[in-house]
Amino acid sequence: MRLHRLEVEGFGPFRARQIVDFDAFSDDGIFLIGGRTGAGKSSILDAVCFGLYGGVPRYGKDGEKRLRSDHSQPDEPTEVVVEFSTVAGRFRVTRSPEYLRPAKRGGGLTKQAAAVSLEERTDAGWVGRAARAVDVGNELADILQLTQEQFLQVILLAQNRFADFLLSDSSKRQVLLRRLFGTERFEDYQARFDERRRIAEKALGTRRATVDARLEQAEVLVIEGGFGGDAEFVQGADTDARIDALRRALARGDYRAERLEADRDEAEKALAAADAGLAGAKEVRQAQAERDRARTALAALDAQQAEIADAVQRRDGARAAEALRSVIQAASRAEKARAVAADAEHETRTIWNAHGVDIIDGNNETGEAAALRAWASARIREVGAWQRAADLEQQGAARAESVASARHSVADATDALAAVEREREELPAQLADLTERRDAARRQGDRFDDLTRAKADAERRRAAAVDVEKQSAAQAEAERAVLEASTAHTAAQSALTALRRRRLDGYAGELATALVPGEACAVCGSTEHPSPAEHVDPVSADDIAQAEAVRDAAAAAERTASDHESSMRAALAAVRERADGRTVEQAVIELEAATTELAAASAAVEQAIALEGELQAATTRRDENEQRRADAEKQVSAAREQLALAEQSASEAEVLIAQARGEHPSVAARIALVTEQAADAVALADAVDDRETRATAASEALAERSTALQHSPFDEVTAAEAALLAPAELAALEDRISAHAIALGTERQILLDLELRMLPEEAIDLAPAQQAATDARATWTAAVDAANRTRGTVTQLRGLTDTAASEHAAGAEQQAEYDVLRGLADTLAGRGANTHKMNLETFVLAAELEEIVEAANLRLHEMSAGRYQLQHSDALASHGKASGLGIVVFDGFTGQTRPARSLSGGETFLSSLALALGLAEVVTARAGGIRLDTLFIDEGFGSLDADTLEVAMRTLDELRQGGRTVGVISHVEAMQEQIPAQLTVRTLPDGPSVIDAPV
């Protein structure tokens, strides 16, 4: 993968768009990204990572909220463009985070959603590949073939990141390697085997418990059933012995069950014989009882003969009278109907006479009903002529309301016309007032943008004034730290000088300790040593080396403190410039004033918009006034015309009502009276007709009854009526006569059959037969219970024994499978015989780590002049900590290994750099052998002395071979002198940073 171009705007410390052309450094192969601390050198790498992966890990979970530049104005964009190429082609990704921007309508701020797009360069130019975040992520995953973690580990070697990998313990190193090589599946394998082991162990325990439970239940059955002795079930015996004992007891149980079943069959035969004897005795006893009952019943039936004869006579008379029932009842109903009709005519005539109307001359009633109906018909016709007047009379209130409503409509239309006239006169003044107020609000609202910028400037000055106070305190603290570091450096240098002086002074004593009598002195050659020097308070080379290390550390601390103090001084100057000489109190007062003025301008903008709407509405009303005036005049004319029509209609109705009312209180009263009279006349006519019809029908019914009596056995109507019976009573009488005859014949036949059997007259005794049957049944019941109980126990015992034997046999096979599975699960999890306590994932990662270390040693051997070599260590960690992924350093000078943390700062950097490069090679090989044409290393060179720095530079020179471009981020002056191709990130006086590219 090769980076070609980077564009950033509104990102991190960069406000204006900055462009980095990485292709410009292709010829040099290595370039330096320099600048003061805090200027934004690492933000270039952050932009690359954000563009490709949408996140910046060093900012944490809330990183996206911190990506937008604090220097950007609300209406300025935030965007990162990364152009790169792989074997798949050349691509460009453009990405923006979520941020707030000014709303296009209504003022205020609104959320600008995050956006991303991916393009590919073809012969026809740039062509879009994806424009949704999820689609771009999937496309980039296929194109880059590196996860974000792998990208950061093999391309963006960030500050201290590769040193962390060298100095981490096994657990932290495992977390990183797991993400880089995707070995989570091995942990899943281990978990699955552990789960299978637990399931198998649980199943085996369940099967064993089942076998024990079945055996215990079977042994209890044997003891309770008496199939064996207690001596057969020895406490603690193995399962096979217990099963054998149960099978022997089962054979005894089968024999006992067969004996009891034979006893049950014998008892069943005896019970059948006893039941048969009892049934015969009961049958004879029942026949005797039936004979005695038939004799008694026949005597009772003979005693009822006289009563039955009387019933026959009554039945025959009722049948003869039944033939006359209809004519008798018809005559009676006709007489009653004639009387009722006469009474009704009398009542109706009384009501009619109350009206005092005489419609017939003389006493002749012939044609009375027809005359009454004719009179009523004439009155009904008169009522029809009066109905229209009655309806008008009933609608009098509605007519009055209609007239009143018409008068109100005239008044309303007149008022509306007057209102239109008044509005016509007032509109010019309203338009002038609204225009003046709108123009005034517009003039005040036109200052909104200027006041917004003024408020933003005031906010920045207030924030800068607060930062001045904070930065002043930090500057003072930095100066104190520089003073302390300088004092410590001076003390360390003085201590080193004193040790060196003591070392020189003690050389004579050190040589004297090596003198041997009779052997030549290494200095003067004499074999006599009359007065050797004393070796007092010796200083060793290790003491000198330790003091030098202390001096170097103090010098580095002094440089660090000095650099920090310089950056604090620059930062203080920058914030003072941004504060523009304001104190916090002055800045707060200015901000409050700007806020007030901005609020007033914002309110004026809203007021101008509202007044513009009111002005447009008033103009519209003015244009519409003439039309509304014409409409109002038309409404006045229509209302007056409607009033005239309503008054004319009311006058005509009153004339018609007066004519129809006559001398009565109202038309409705006159209609009601005449309608009532006509109805009473019709009722009287109906009553006269009904009375005449009923009289004729009564005469005919009496004549028919007399004729029927002459042809019947009855002389009088009363005799026939007395002989009549109700249908139910007649049916009951017939049923009684028939039942007596049937019962008499049945009882005679029963008694005849029983008498022929020659039964004893005395009742026989059932007690002996019943007792014999009871005893036989008790014996049979006991035999059945014993046989069933024993057979059930044997069946249950056989089931338990067979189940226990089959489960025991299956458990042996399951135990063998469990032993294999447990051994495998323990091996994968680092338990049992796994002496290194390494699980499967650690074992796989250890193989990867060995390859990484091997690749790293190819460079470390040269960088350390053959002294150091990294080695993978699978030694067990103490206190049960994770192990298997350790890294130790083999020192060629001593021939011993030592922890990586024992290396000096420069040695740690070189070892970490070699390890990071080896890790990059292995990771890229695992990712399909992709080529890394661009590499970045962020800081770490400040801890190197001149010689070690030279070695690091030679390593970087080797990295650029084969067309690779290496970017180094550093503020070390020696690096700046040795790398001519440079990008410089510098901070402008007003706060944001810019990138100065080579010309």
Side-chain angles (χ1 to χ4, degrees):
M1 172 187 175
R2 178 182 292 277
L3 293 176
H4 297 286
R5 183 182 179 88
L6 173 68
E7 298 181 20
V8 293
E9 181 178 3
F11 182 89
F14 307 112
R15 175 183 176 183
R17 182 169 287 266
Q18 305 295 310
I19 300 175
V20 179
D21 185 5
F22 295 112
D23 289 340
F25 304 106
S26 298
D27 295 338
D28 295 283
I30 186 170
F31 65 95
L32 179 72
I33 302 176
R36 301 189 62 178
T37 300
K41 300 186 296 297
S42 297
S43 295
I44 295 177
L45 305 189
D46 293 339
V48 173
C49 187
F50 173 72
L52 295 178
Y53 293 96
V56 180
R58 73 184 181 114
Y59 285 161
K61 293 182 179 179
D62 297 331
E64 188 171 348
K65 299 179 181 179
R66 303 173 56 187
L67 297 179
R68 179 168 168 80
S69 176
D70 295 334
H71 306 290
S72 296
Q73 295 297 323
D75 56 348
E76 293 177 345
T78 294
E79 185 179 77
V80 172
V81 181
V82 180
E83 187 176 337
F84 66 96
S85 62
T86 67
V87 293
R90 187 158 179 164
F91 303 92
R92 180 171 64 191
V93 58
T94 304
R95 194 184 297 268
S96 299
E98 180 184 285
Y99 61 92
L100 297 178
R101 61 166 178 80
K104 296 181 179 180
R105 296 180 181 178
L109 298 178
T110 187
K111 184 181 294 184
Q112 175 67 42
V116 62
S117 64
L118 176 65
E119 301 169 283
E120 180 179 7
R121 193 168 74 178
T122 64
D123 295 339
W126 289 103
V127 178
R129 284 279 295 268
R132 292 196 313 159
V134 61
D135 297 334
V136 172
N138 294 334
E139 291 281 352
L140 288 176
D142 294 337
I143 294 170
L144 297 174
Q145 299 184 21
L146 290 174
T147 65
Q148 182 178 354
E149 185 69 30
Q150 292 172 331
F151 182 82
L152 294 173
Q153 198 68 40
V154 303
I155 293 181
L156 300 185
L157 304 182
Q159 265 182 352
N160 298 325
R161 193 176 185 89
F162 48 86
D164 287 344
F165 183 68
L166 173 66
L167 302 177
S168 297
D169 57 18
S170 289
S171 59
K172 294 181 179 179
R173 193 174 290 117
Q174 181 178 9
V175 173
L176 174 60
L177 290 175
R178 175 186 296 170
R179 291 198 298 264
L180 292 178
F181 294 102
T183 58
E184 295 87 350
R185 63 186 184 281
F186 295 105
E187 185 178 17
D188 293 340
Y189 297 157
Q190 175 185 332
R192 291 178 185 177
F193 271 100
D194 280 338
E195 181 64 20
R196 288 179 59 187
R197 178 189 59 79
R198 285 192 294 270
I199 293 173
E201 184 177 7
K202 182 178 180 181
L204 183 59
T206 302
R207 189 179 294 278
R208 288 175 176 172
T210 300
V211 172
D212 290 340
R214 297 294 184 271
L215 291 177
E216 290 176 0
Q217 294 175 11
E219 290 167 353
V220 170
L221 288 177
V222 170
I223 295 173
E224 291 179 350
F227 303 154
D230 296 340
E232 289 193 70
F233 305 105
V234 180
Q235 184 70 23
D238 61 18
T239 303
D240 292 329
R242 296 171 70 185
I243 292 175
D244 292 340
L246 288 174
R247 292 195 185 282
R248 291 192 298 272
L250 184 61
R252 290 191 293 270
D254 283 332
Y255 175 74
R256 177 174 297 179
E258 292 174 358
R259 292 291 303 274
L260 291 175
E261 287 170 354
D263 295 342
R264 177 199 62 194
D265 295 340
E266 292 296 329
E268 187 173 356
K269 293 177 181 179
L271 174 62
D275 286 341
L278 177 61
K282 286 182 176 180
E283 195 274 332
V284 173
R285 177 67 177 271
Q286 185 177 1
Q288 288 178 327
E290 182 66 14
R291 180 196 60 190
D292 296 340
R293 184 201 63 77
R295 288 174 178 174
T296 303
L298 189 58
L301 290 173
D302 289 338
Q304 296 175 0
Q305 286 295 342
E307 183 180 352
I308 294 302
D310 182 62
V312 170
Q313 184 179 359
R314 289 181 60 203
R315 179 197 64 187
D316 295 340
R319 287 177 177 177
E322 188 65 30
L324 299 175
R325 181 188 294 274
S326 59
V327 293
I328 293 173
Q329 291 178 349
S332 178
R333 287 195 298 268
E335 282 293 328
K336 291 179 180 179
R338 181 175 59 182
V340 170
D343 293 340
E345 179 187 2
H346 178 71
E347 293 176 1
T348 306
R349 190 175 296 279
T350 301
I351 295 172
W352 166 251
N353 291 335
H355 291 298
V357 178
D358 187 9
I359 62 173
I360 299 177
D361 296 334
N363 296 325
N364 187 9
E365 296 184 0
T366 303
E368 181 182 12
L372 288 170
R373 288 190 173 90
W375 184 88
S377 177
R379 301 288 79 76
I380 294 300
R381 286 194 296 273
E382 290 178 354
V383 168
W386 299 332
Q387 190 61 48
R388 171 61 180 164
D391 293 341
L392 292 174
E393 183 181 57
Q394 192 174 12
Q395 298 170 0
R399 285 195 302 278
E401 184 179 356
S402 177
V403 172
S405 176
R407 288 172 180 166
H408 284 304
S409 296
V410 171
D412 293 342
T414 303
D415 293 341
L417 179 60
V420 171
E421 293 289 350
R422 288 194 300 273
E423 183 183 25
R424 183 182 183 187
E425 296 174 357
E426 296 172 356
L427 275 173
Q430 292 180 3
L431 289 172
D433 178 64
L434 288 173
T435 301
E436 182 179 357
R437 290 167 57 197
R438 181 203 62 186
D439 294 341
R442 281 181 174 177
R443 286 192 296 273
Q444 186 175 4
D446 289 342
R447 300 181 59 212
F448 181 80
D449 293 339
D450 295 337
L451 292 174
T452 299
R453 289 190 290 272
K455 180 184 176 184
D457 294 340
E459 289 177 342
R460 283 194 293 273
R461 286 195 296 272
R462 183 194 62 179
V466 173
D467 291 342
V468 166
E469 294 183 353
K470 297 179 180 178
Q471 202 64 38
S472 297
Q475 170 67 16
E477 180 65 22
E479 291 177 351
R480 183 188 63 77
V482 169
L483 179 60
E484 292 178 353
S486 178
T487 302
H489 184 201
T490 302
Q493 185 63 46
S494 299
L496 177 60
T497 302
L499 283 175
R500 286 175 174 171
R501 186 178 299 108
R502 287 171 54 199
R503 171 74 168 168
L504 294 173
D505 294 343
Y507 274 159
E510 185 176 348
L511 291 173
T513 58
L515 294 177
V516 178
E519 294 183 1
C521 175
V523 178
C524 64
S526 174
T527 58
E528 296 181 359
H529 317 295
S531 174
E534 295 183 359
H535 194 192
V536 180
D537 192 13
V539 177
S540 65
D542 291 339
D543 294 336
I544 297 297
Q546 184 177 2
E548 289 177 345
V550 173
R551 187 272 318 273
D552 293 342
E558 183 181 13
R559 288 195 301 272
T560 301
S562 179
D563 292 342
H564 180 64
E565 190 273 335
S566 297
S567 63
M568 291 296 101
R569 187 183 303 110
L572 179 60
V575 295
R576 281 177 175 170
E577 183 176 356
R578 290 200 301 274
D580 198 16
R582 267 73 163 181
T583 64
V584 175
E585 291 77 8
Q586 292 171 340
V588 169
I589 293 172
E590 290 180 357
L591 177 58
E592 292 176 350
T595 302
T596 302
E597 292 180 356
L598 179 60
S602 178
V605 171
E606 296 178 356
Q607 184 181 12
I609 295 173
L611 289 173
E612 179 65 27
E614 294 181 12
L615 182 59
Q616 292 178 358
T619 303
T620 302
R621 290 198 305 274
R622 181 192 63 188
D623 297 339
E624 297 174 349
N625 181 266
E626 288 298 330
Q627 181 63 38
R628 286 189 282 113
R629 181 170 175 273
D631 294 341
E633 290 177 348
K634 291 180 181 179
Q635 290 178 358
V636 169
S637 299
R640 288 174 178 173
E641 182 179 356
Q642 188 67 29
L643 175 61
L645 292 175
E647 290 176 343
Q648 181 180 356
S649 176
S651 176
E652 294 175 351
E654 289 299 327
V655 172
L656 184 60
I657 291 170
Q659 293 175 353
R661 185 171 57 239
E663 298 178 356
H664 294 274
S666 65
V667 177
R670 187 176 186 181
I671 289 174
L673 176 61
V674 174
T675 301
E676 181 183 1
Q677 290 175 349
D680 291 343
V682 173
L684 178 58
D686 292 341
V688 170
D689 289 342
D690 184 57
R691 186 257 308 162
E692 292 176 352
T693 301
R694 298 295 181 182
T696 302
S699 298
E700 294 175 352
L702 290 174
E704 184 178 0
R705 185 184 66 181
S706 298
T707 302
L709 282 174
Q710 292 175 2
H711 296 86
S712 71
F714 302 102
D715 296 332
E716 299 291 338
V717 173
T718 54
E721 290 176 347
L724 285 173
L725 292 177
E729 186 178 0
L730 178 59
L733 195 60
E734 290 180 344
D735 291 343
R736 182 181 179 189
I737 295 170
S738 298
H740 181 271
I742 292 171
L744 185 62
T746 301
E747 294 298 337
R748 285 174 177 172
Q749 184 62 41
I750 291 173
L751 182 59
L752 177 62
D753 293 340
L754 292 175
E755 291 290 354
L756 292 176
R757 292 180 60 180
M758 304 298 291
L759 297 173
E761 290 296 328
E762 296 295 332
I764 65 173
D765 187 7
L766 297 178
Q770 289 177 341
Q771 184 62 43
T774 300
D775 296 341
R777 182 168 296 278
T779 302
W780 174 78
T781 300
V784 169
D785 291 342
N788 290 342
R789 184 169 56 253
T790 302
R791 179 55 68 186
T793 302
V794 170
T795 301
Q796 187 177 2
L797 178 60
R798 178 174 286 105
L800 292 173
T801 303
D802 293 344
T803 301
S806 62
E807 290 290 328
H808 179 59
E813 299 178 0
Q814 191 173 4
Q815 178 68 47
E817 294 177 0
Y818 169 72
D819 293 339
V820 174
L821 185 60
R822 180 182 61 184
L824 183 56
D826 290 344
T827 301
L828 294 181
R831 300 187 294 265
N834 191 331
T835 57
H836 286 79
K837 305 301 180 183
M838 293 173 61
N839 58 30
L840 177 60
E841 183 184 16
T842 305
F843 179 79
V844 174
L845 292 177
E848 299 288 357
L849 183 60
E850 289 178 351
E851 189 171 348
I852 293 169
V853 169
E854 183 179 354
N857 285 331
L858 296 177
R859 288 189 173 87
L860 182 59
H861 182 271
E862 183 176 352
M863 285 191 289
S864 64
R867 178 177 181 181
Y868 293 119
Q869 183 178 9
L870 300 177
Q871 292 183 353
H872 163 240
S873 173
D874 55 7
L876 289 175
S878 59
H879 306 294
K881 294 182 179 178
S883 59
L885 297 176
I887 295 179
V888 296
V889 180
F890 176 76
D891 190 340
F893 289 3
T894 64
Q896 301 293 325
T897 59
R898 55 184 172 129
R901 292 186 178 275
S902 65
L903 296 175
S904 64
E907 292 169 341
T908 298
F909 175 78
L910 294 179
S911 300
S912 300
L913 178 59
L915 187 60
L917 296 175
L919 177 61
E921 292 178 2
V922 175
V923 169
T924 54
R926 293 294 183 272
I930 62 174
R931 177 178 174 82
L932 303 180
D933 294 318
T934 305
L935 181 68
F936 293 93
I937 302 176
D938 187 356
E939 286 296 353
F941 299 96
S943 63
L944 306 182
D945 56 28
D947 294 337
T948 307
L949 183 60
E950 183 63 28
V951 173
M953 288 301 300
R954 288 200 305 270
T955 302
L956 296 178
D957 283 338
E958 294 177 359
L959 291 177
R960 64 180 179 175
Q961 294 176 1
R964 179 182 293 168
T965 301
V966 181
V968 179
I969 298 178
S970 178
H971 60 270
V972 178
E973 295 181 1
M975 298 285 287
Q976 297 175 3
E977 294 174 357
Q978 296 187 42
I979 302 177
Q982 297 182 6
L983 282 176
T984 303
V985 183
R986 60 184 179 88
T987 305
L988 298 178
D990 59 346
S993 298
V994 295
I995 302 174
D996 294 332
V999 180

